[in-house]
């Protein structure tokens, strides 16, 4: 049973979502909240697996809520459901740790499938959102990093992380673009430091740049 918490400042939207989800086998709506603060208060008593988050809400919006959930309740999958396609919300939510971003004009079938995928750990992106993300990624380096000492010791994923560190990306940016958690990025960085015999991230960035 997938336990879902609904977070939206519009009561009509919450009621509609509840009616839609309650008839689905394997999904249980365990609570509702009108903003981020109410959602954080509801999490301990409702113990959701997936939090369906509106992007724009009073007091605490969906991006901030997603970041708080990622930091305080990392096992919970945050899935944003919004009417807004602005880059600030899309990339802000993904960078904050959202498992996906859907628009409210998606079909009921797409929403239900998105909840199930988010629960399983998959990334969920609406068509227009995926298009924007691809456009954003095209601005990031995709080729191999310049050769450096010890490169052959690193795994393929570590080389991807190294490529982004070399151009100054933060752990959060790396996590959002590779669809992994910040904790996983930190683990890759620690592994690279150990393999290359370096002390810290600054030394790693210098090493990758050939300085």
């Amino acid at each position: 049973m997938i336990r879902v918490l609904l977070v939206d400042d519009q009561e009509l939207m919450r009621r509609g979502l509840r009616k839609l989800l309650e008839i689905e086998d394997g999904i249980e709506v365990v609570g509702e909240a009108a903003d981020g603060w109410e959602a954080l208060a509801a999490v301990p008593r409702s113990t959701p697996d997936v939090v369906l988050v509106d992007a724009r809400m009073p007091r605490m919006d969906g991006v901030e809520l997603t970041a708080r959930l990622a930091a305080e309740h990392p096992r919970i999958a945050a899935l944003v459901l919004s009417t807004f396609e602005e880059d600030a919300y899309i990339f802000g939510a993904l960078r904050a740790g959202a498992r996906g971003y859907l628009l409210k004009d998606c079909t009921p079938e797409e929403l239900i499938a998105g909840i199930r995928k988010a629960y399983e750990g998959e990334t969920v992106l609406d068509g227009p959102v995926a298009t924007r993300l691809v456009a954003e990624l095209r601005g990031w380096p995709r080729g191999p990093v310049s050769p450096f000492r010890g490169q052959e010791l690193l795994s393929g994923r570590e080389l991807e992380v190294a490529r982004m560190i070399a151009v100054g990306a933060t752990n959060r940016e790396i996590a959002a673009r590779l669809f992994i958690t910040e904790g996983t990025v930190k683990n890759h960085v620690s592994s690279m430091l150990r393999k290359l015999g370096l002390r810290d991230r600054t030394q790693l960035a210098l090493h990758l740049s050939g300085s």
Side-chain angles (χ1 to χ4, degrees):
M1 184 69 70
I2 304 173
R3 299 169 61 83
V4 179
L5 174 65
L6 305 176
V7 187
D8 196 297
D9 62 327
Q10 297 181 359
E11 183 178 356
L12 185 62
M13 176 59 68
R14 297 197 307 271
R15 287 188 181 185
L17 289 171
R18 178 181 281 275
K19 287 185 178 296
L20 171 67
L21 297 178
E22 282 181 337
I23 63 174
E24 287 297 317
D25 291 335
I27 294 179
E28 178 185 5
V29 177
V30 294
E32 298 180 15
D35 59 44
W37 288 111
E38 286 188 13
L40 290 175
V43 164
R45 63 176 181 268
S46 60
T47 61
D49 301 304
V50 177
V51 177
L52 201 57
V53 181
D54 187 19
R56 183 180 292 179
M57 297 180 292
R59 301 206 302 166
M60 181 190 294
D61 67 15
V63 174
E64 185 177 355
L65 172 58
T66 297
R68 290 284 299 272
L69 288 172
E72 300 170 21
H73 305 280
R75 71 166 191 82
I76 297 175
L79 178 60
V80 178
L81 179 66
S82 177
T83 57
F84 301 101
E85 296 184 50
E86 287 92 337
D87 288 353
Y89 285 115
I90 295 172
F91 298 123
L94 295 176
R95 287 167 180 155
R99 195 64 56 79
Y101 199 106
L102 294 175
L103 298 177
K104 286 182 177 177
D105 62 358
C106 69
T107 66
E109 292 76 18
E110 288 170 335
L111 175 60
I112 292 163
I115 290 172
R116 297 188 189 282
K117 288 179 181 178
Y119 174 73
E120 294 295 334
E122 297 182 44
T123 299
V124 183
L125 296 177
D126 210 327
V129 174
T131 299
R132 288 185 181 228
L133 183 59
V134 169
E136 173 78 359
L137 289 172
R138 284 174 178 162
W140 285 81
R142 288 170 292 169
V145 295
S146 300
F148 57 87
R149 177 178 55 81
Q151 181 173 335
E152 70 283 355
L153 301 174
L154 306 186
S155 68
R157 180 61 100 182
E158 287 169 346
L159 286 172
E160 287 183 296
V161 174
R163 182 182 306 127
M164 300 189 73
I165 289 175
V167 295
T170 65
N171 284 352
R172 179 169 290 185
E173 289 172 328
I174 295 170
R177 284 162 176 79
L178 297 183
F179 300 111
I180 56 180
T181 67
E182 287 189 63
T184 299
V185 176
K186 291 177 181 177
N187 289 340
H188 286 314
V189 172
S190 296
S191 175
M192 287 189 285
L193 293 175
R194 184 179 66 254
K195 290 178 180 180
L196 298 175
L198 301 172
R199 185 178 65 250
D200 54 33
R201 187 190 180 95
T202 300
Q203 281 196 345
L204 176 60
L206 292 172
H207 184 83
L208 296 173
S209 67
S211 301

